[in-house]
Amino acid sequence: MSKEKPEEIKEEEVLEEAPETEKETKEPTLEDKLKDTKDQLLRTAAEYANYRARSAKEKEQTYSNAKGNVVAEILPVIDNLERALSGEGNDYDALKQGVQMTMDGLMAALEKLGVEQYGESGDAFDPNFHHAVMHIEDESLGENVICDVFQKGYKLGDRVIRAAMVKTAN
């Protein structure tokens, strides 16, 4: 038996003889790039639509929760008013004391919610916070001083909920 030596195959010959596949040599065409860009655009648009829907739902839930919190803070005040109205006595002082306690409870609830009451006689008039409905000339008072308050003002943080209705002097 004669042993023949297998032919040595040179690497260069293998590379030349191996058929090249289209995927290896094919560069992305303009159509492929356009298709990819369109796909990315559609995905981005869908993602944005989902974000908007999710944000709207969260906003509605936040609004609903805030209203619920306000109502929960005011319910004890309503309960106190109902108890005061159901009383059968004619005791004016007891009724006045009950109403005062109810008012204190309401003011405590508003304070807990972050609502501040403002507008006192003697304060300086500020058109951003006060609504002047009357004006008098009085030399005993300083300039732009509030001399009477018809309706207290309320603000939540820096936001005015209702401006104080006042009478100013000088």
Side-chain angles (χ1 to χ4, degrees):
M1 280 189 136
S2 72
K3 284 192 170 181
E4 291 182 14
K5 198 175 184 187
E7 286 184 29
E8 286 185 36
I9 301 174
K10 296 181 181 176
E11 190 177 324
E12 295 168 354
E13 293 174 353
V14 172
L15 289 177
E16 287 176 14
E17 293 175 11
E20 294 182 7
T21 62
E22 285 186 31
K23 280 189 176 180
E24 292 175 351
T25 59
K26 185 177 178 184
E27 287 188 29
T29 64
L30 189 57
E31 287 180 8
D32 292 337
K33 289 179 182 178
L34 180 62
K35 192 175 186 181
D36 288 344
T37 304
K38 184 177 178 182
D39 183 52
Q40 286 176 343
L41 181 62
L42 288 173
R43 288 177 190 270
T44 303
E47 194 174 305
Y48 180 67
N50 290 340
Y51 167 76
R52 282 188 13 208
R54 191 172 52 250
S55 293
K57 184 177 178 182
E58 287 174 1
K59 182 179 177 182
E60 184 62 34
Q61 284 179 331
T62 301
Y63 180 70
S64 178
N65 289 343
K67 284 192 330 186
N69 291 342
V70 169
V71 170
E73 290 295 326
I74 294 175
L75 286 177
V77 175
I78 293 171
D79 294 339
N80 289 338
L81 286 172
E82 286 176 343
R83 279 192 285 276
L85 292 173
S86 69
E88 295 181 17
N90 291 332
D91 188 5
Y92 174 74
D93 289 332
L95 180 63
K96 184 177 179 182
Q97 182 183 8
V99 171
Q100 183 61 50
M101 290 171 64
T102 303
M103 180 65 173
D104 293 342
L106 180 59
M107 294 311 293
L110 288 176
E111 186 178 314
K112 190 173 180 182
L113 293 169
V115 177
E116 270 184 71
Q117 181 179 354
Y118 68 92
E120 297 289 329
S121 293
D123 288 350
F125 175 76
D126 183 349
N128 296 318
F129 295 103
H130 305 101
H131 177 69
V133 293
M134 292 180 74
H135 180 78
I136 61 168
E137 294 294 328
D138 188 348
E139 296 302 321
S140 64
L141 298 172
E143 193 167 326
N144 283 334
V145 173
I146 296 171
C147 58
D148 202 4
V149 178
F150 301 116
Q151 221 174 36
K152 297 272 186 173
Y154 293 90
K155 62 183 180 175
L156 180 62
D158 292 337
R159 180 177 162 233
V160 174
I161 296 172
R162 182 179 80 186
M165 194 179 303
V166 298
K167 179 184 348 180
T168 60
N170 304 323

